[in-house]
Amino acid sequence: MQPTTLTHAARPRPPQRRSRVSPEQIADAALKIVDRDGVTALTMRRVAAAIDVGTMTLYGHFRSKEQLLDAVVDAAVGRGKLPALTGSWRDQVRALMRAANRNLAAHPALVQIRFAQPVLRPEALRFGEAGMGILRSAGFNSREAAHGFRLLFTYVFGFAGLSPTATLDDARREAAAAIAGLPAEEYPNLAENSAEFSEAIGGGAAFNYGLERILDGLESHLKARAT
Amino acid sequence: MQPTTLTHAARPRPPQRRSRVSPEQIADAALKIVDRDGVTALTMRRVAAAIDVGTMTLYGHFRSKEQLLDAVVDAAVGRGKLPALTGSWRDQVRALMRAANRNLAAHPALVQIRFAQPVLRPEALRFGEAGMGILRSAGFNSREAAHGFRLLFTYVFGFAGLSPTATLDDARREAAAAIAGLPAEEYPNLAENSAEFSEAIGGGAAFNYGLERILDGLESHLKARAT
DNA sequence: ACCTGAACACCGTTCAAGT
DNA sequence: ACCTGAACACCGTTCAAGT
């Protein structure tokens, strides 16, 4: 857009034919928008403007916005590397799920995208591969490992999806305020445990409590089968 | 719109001043659209057309589309009655969660709406009230009950969110196809357990397996605390 | 060959005018 | 007082024209 002065390259053809954009550049720009302003802020026009390109140029790389969203998921998932997996199966599952939770927390919009369209792309399936491997090695049979992984995946995913978009403290205050507005006779248990209920709507302690209960449940199932 | 002939009411004032619409009528019409065509099909213009009213009339009852969505959630949640709660705490929690799962399955769009905006409305909080009551009575302390309910809620919600929008069989076929397309050396555990992995992505058996593991985990925590 | 402005068929919502 | 058409500032995407 602005006149550029390239001192090191004085070629006969037009100075900068608009540096060709790659699909990766586009996906990165889209991910940045989505992380900063949420999934509703992601429009083709805005992505194009962010990389200083005509809107229609994006359609040379992606057939539709949906396909661009797939690429955004890939970009975000690929960025989160799997953790080192050592120790007991329980240690390994814990590490894997915490890594997934961290990655989803870093890219909250992933969850919303995931809901609109199931993600069965190679990058995302690495997570399933790792989980199935741990559970099979631990002694779960094929069906149990599959269901067990699904349980863990569902929890991690649901937790991220339910995580407040505002700050956690604000969300807790809102929850407490909502409970305070209820008739206490009709909602005695919420009224009595309002602070704890509001505290548990998110955060690391809540995540870990749930994860450990699930691991307890899987472990007791494994032991019951062994005897 | 069309000229109507009202034989039974020949009043001096205009024949049918456009029967006044209530917020409930609007929310019901919106819920019907959302259940039939998904949340992306829900537009103010379409809701208005469905009840044969000018688009702007809706804004006489709801300040914004977001507020209308809140009312849609209320309408859907209010329709699903809480089940009778009898038996052990485990029986009661199971019944409650299965009812919630059934209700979310009946209104898949609820999950998407819920992700966009936390739902802290009285109707929705009845579910939390019931859950907290059961867990407190079972002997969990305030903090444990809150975290335990959050775990259960997260699971039920996540399960519904991850449930395929297409038919379950189609989704399973797609998952199996995606795994078949992966390099087996890099994804050995998915390749070996492809059938079970695809089976576990949804359905009653998968839901129940996860729920029972969570209940196992909560129960072992309760017993450990008792000793 | 590659890029892209104009245009089309939609949105949610404001505003001013209808009755 | 209640209702609502026109208009505004947006969308995703098609199409035809630019280079």
Side-chain angles (χ1 to χ4, degrees):
Chain A
M1 285 296 168
Q2 295 130 327
T4 48
T5 40
L6 298 178
T7 53
H8 63 291
R11 300 297 226 84
R13 50 176 161 145
Q16 179 110 4
R17 233 205 188 302
R18 168 84 70 246
S19 66
R20 180 81 113 284
V21 287
S22 67
E24 287 77 18
Q25 275 176 278
I26 298 175
D28 282 356
L31 179 59
K32 204 181 292 181
I33 292 175
V34 134
D35 283 342
R36 188 175 3 102
D37 303 319
V39 79
T40 56
L42 187 77
T43 71
M44 299 302 266
R45 283 164 158 94
R46 258 196 277 250
V47 173
I51 52 178
D52 203 29
V53 143
T55 305
M56 286 309 110
T57 304
L58 305 185
Y59 286 84
H61 301 275
F62 299 98
R63 209 184 311 280
S64 65
K65 186 182 182 182
E66 206 168 284
Q67 284 212 354
L68 172 54
L69 286 175
D70 273 346
V72 170
V73 172
D74 267 2
V77 170
R79 204 147 299 176
K81 287 286 149 263
L82 293 184
L85 298 174
T86 56
S88 69
W89 71 267
R90 202 172 157 133
D91 287 342
Q92 293 182 48
V93 170
R94 187 186 295 113
L96 186 63
M97 295 303 147
R98 285 189 179 169
N101 181 50
R102 239 177 292 120
N103 196 34
L104 287 176
H107 305 289
L110 282 195
V111 186
Q112 283 184 53
I113 296 174
R114 170 57 240 259
F115 270 76
Q117 42 190 317
V119 172
L120 291 167
R121 327 207 79 223
E123 280 300 337
L125 287 174
R126 285 189 191 284
F127 179 61
E129 168 64 21
M132 286 296 288
I134 299 169
L135 293 174
R136 290 291 277 125
S137 299
F140 290 97
N141 70 28
S142 187
R143 186 180 166 281
E144 291 163 350
H147 278 141
F149 175 74
R150 191 69 188 175
L151 162 58
L152 288 158
F153 181 71
T154 298
Y155 175 66
V156 172
F157 202 83
F159 192 89
L162 292 175
S163 284
T165 47
T167 74
L168 188 52
D169 280 347
D170 284 351
R172 283 175 174 151
R173 261 189 291 276
E174 272 175 48
I179 292 173
L182 298 172
E185 327 83 66
E186 277 188 66
Y187 298 81
N189 291 292
L190 289 185
E192 265 170 44
N193 308 288
S194 169
E196 291 81 2
F197 189 87
S198 302
E199 200 271 331
I201 64 169
F207 178 79
N208 288 332
Y209 180 90
L211 179 56
E212 296 305 321
R213 274 341 108 235
I214 291 174
L215 290 170
D216 285 348
L218 291 173
E219 191 168 325
S220 73
H221 194 223
L222 187 62
K223 281 181 182 151
R225 226 174 47 82
T227 56
Chain B
M1 286 298 169
Q2 295 129 325
T4 49
T5 40
L6 299 177
T7 52
H8 63 288
R11 300 294 227 87
R13 47 172 163 149
Q16 178 109 4
R17 240 212 181 294
R18 169 82 71 244
S19 67
R20 178 81 113 284
V21 287
S22 68
E24 287 77 18
Q25 275 176 278
I26 298 174
D28 282 357
L31 178 60
K32 203 181 293 179
I33 292 174
V34 134
D35 283 342
R36 189 176 1 102
D37 303 318
V39 79
T40 56
L42 187 77
T43 71
M44 299 302 266
R45 283 164 158 95
R46 258 196 279 251
V47 173
I51 53 178
D52 204 29
V53 143
T55 306
M56 287 308 112
T57 304
L58 305 185
Y59 286 84
H61 301 276
F62 299 99
R63 209 183 312 279
S64 64
K65 186 183 182 183
E66 205 168 285
Q67 285 213 352
L68 173 53
L69 285 174
D70 274 346
V72 170
V73 172
D74 266 2
V77 171
R79 204 147 297 176
K81 287 285 148 263
L82 293 183
L85 298 175
T86 56
S88 68
W89 71 266
R90 202 173 157 131
D91 287 342
Q92 293 182 49
V93 170
R94 186 186 294 112
L96 186 63
M97 295 303 147
R98 284 189 178 169
N101 181 50
R102 240 179 289 120
N103 196 34
L104 286 176
H107 305 289
L110 282 195
V111 186
Q112 284 184 53
I113 297 174
R114 171 55 240 259
F115 270 77
Q117 43 188 315
V119 172
L120 291 167
R121 328 210 76 224
E123 280 299 338
L125 286 174
R126 284 189 192 284
F127 179 60
E129 168 65 19
M132 286 296 287
I134 299 168
L135 294 174
R136 290 292 276 127
S137 299
F140 290 96
N141 69 29
S142 188
R143 185 180 168 280
E144 290 163 351
H147 278 141
F149 174 75
R150 190 68 188 177
L151 162 58
L152 288 158
F153 181 71
T154 298
Y155 175 66
V156 171
F157 201 84
F159 192 89
L162 292 176
S163 284
T165 47
T167 74
L168 188 52
D169 280 347
D170 283 351
R172 283 175 174 150
R173 261 189 290 277
E174 272 175 48
I179 291 174
L182 297 173
E185 327 82 65
E186 276 187 67
Y187 297 83
N189 291 292
L190 288 185
E192 265 170 44
N193 308 288
S194 170
E196 291 81 3
F197 189 86
S198 302
E199 199 271 330
I201 65 169
F207 178 79
N208 288 332
Y209 180 90
L211 179 57
E212 296 305 321
R213 273 342 107 233
I214 291 174
L215 291 170
D216 285 348
L218 290 173
E219 191 168 324
S220 72
H221 194 224
L222 187 63
K223 280 180 182 154
R225 225 174 48 83
T227 55

